[in-house]
Amino acid sequence: MTSTGAPATTGPWGDRVDAVDWDTVRDELDSYGCALTGPLLSAEEAADIAALYPDVSRFRCTVDMARHRFGEGQYRYFAEPFPAAVVALKQALYPRLLPIARDWWSRLGRGTPWPDTLDEWLDMCHAAGQTRSTPILLRYGPGDWNALHRDLYGELVFPLQVVVNLNQPGVDHTGGEFLVYEQRPRAQSRATATLIPHGHGLVFTTRDRPVRSARGWSAAPVRHGVSVIRSGRRFTLGLVFHDAT
């Protein structure tokens, strides 16, 4: 057990979240804007979630990325009831990410509106008109990619989110590195590429993050995307901690 946040109590998924070295995650987020967590889903659990993709009844909408000039590929937003792993991981991750979010916004002199529990925060989102669910299942095939973007969805935003790779890199797919692109104050932009292991999570910046400058702390805008899939198929689970308008 490490020092960031309260212990999770959401079954095996909570145990895996508790096993993460959260001090290292915090340090890497401060350095790079993203950090691997270690395993969050078993191989069987990952396969079960990916296998839901053809069942359109499990989703509230489908987005064709090429149609919207978002890249190439497709993703679907889950509808309720969500898979048990999705609910448990969000509940377990939120209290671990919350202290980092509050610390970041405090450095930037911003208010920290997020309450202690995910349920309270989502209630705030819903009261502000952000009522649509945001867990995402993304599907990529050969030649697919995801353009650099941000998952904002409304005025209320949680500064961190998590993506889980549901396939095995180098076996199920080649390419498909997760990209974080940071515009640094008065400096050249920086890109970080991460090949996420099977069932592992990557925590990354939703919108911007604090970086130290000569005048104190400045907000560095951050976007994320996925490099071209060269072969095979890649499914990922996206966990966003604010709902959408």
Side-chain angles (χ1 to χ4, degrees):
M1 193 76 62
T2 51
S3 60
T4 303
T9 57
T10 46
W13 303 288
D15 293 341
R16 293 169 201 153
V17 170
D18 286 344
V20 173
D21 183 345
W22 285 103
D23 292 326
T24 296
V25 167
R26 180 193 286 268
D27 290 344
E28 293 191 359
L29 285 168
D30 279 339
S31 297
Y32 309 114
C34 61
L36 287 166
T37 64
L40 298 179
L41 294 173
S42 69
E44 181 179 1
E45 290 163 354
D48 286 346
I49 292 174
L52 296 174
Y53 199 86
D55 183 359
V56 294
S57 69
R58 299 300 302 267
F59 303 93
R60 66 171 177 83
C61 74
T62 298
V63 177
D64 183 278
M65 286 192 265
R67 178 182 176 187
H68 298 281
R69 301 177 68 98
F70 294 165
E72 298 282 346
Q74 193 179 82
Y75 58 87
R76 289 176 167 160
Y77 288 97
F78 277 102
E80 296 189 72
F82 306 131
V86 170
V87 176
L89 283 175
K90 287 188 69 173
Q91 290 288 345
L93 286 162
Y94 179 83
R96 295 293 189 171
L97 300 175
L98 182 60
I100 303 171
R102 287 172 170 167
D103 177 51
W104 276 13
W105 257 226
S106 294
R107 291 188 218 174
L108 293 171
R110 299 173 176 173
T112 56
W114 314 288
D116 290 340
T117 70
L118 178 61
D119 290 342
E120 291 175 292
W121 168 237
L122 292 179
D123 284 344
M124 288 175 60
C125 290
H126 298 166
Q130 295 178 212
T131 58
R132 295 191 296 167
S133 60
T134 52
I136 313 168
L137 186 55
L138 302 100
R139 184 188 70 183
Y140 301 90
D144 290 346
W145 55 284
N146 199 339
L148 295 172
H149 66 285
R150 296 168 172 154
D151 299 317
L152 299 181
Y153 301 134
E155 290 296 320
L156 297 182
V157 175
F158 192 76
L160 297 160
Q161 57 195 90
V162 177
V163 62
V164 183
N165 191 355
L166 306 180
N167 297 108
Q168 187 172 349
V171 176
D172 298 320
H173 67 86
T174 59
E177 293 86 0
F178 192 88
L179 307 175
V180 173
Y181 185 84
E182 180 175 288
Q183 183 180 332
R184 301 178 67 80
R186 293 174 294 282
Q188 296 289 339
S189 299
R190 182 181 71 177
T192 301
T194 305
L195 196 57
I196 306 172
H198 190 193
H200 289 225
L202 182 79
V203 184
F204 63 97
T205 309
T206 300
R207 184 178 69 187
D208 52 17
R209 72 183 193 92
V211 295
R212 193 180 293 278
S213 68
R215 300 178 181 179
W217 292 99
S218 298
V222 177
R223 293 179 291 164
H224 65 276
V226 175
S227 71
V228 173
I229 307 297
R230 297 186 178 274
S231 66
R233 179 150 287 185
R234 177 182 184 267
F235 285 91
T236 55
L237 171 68
L239 301 176
V240 181
F241 293 88
H242 49 268
D243 281 347
T245 55

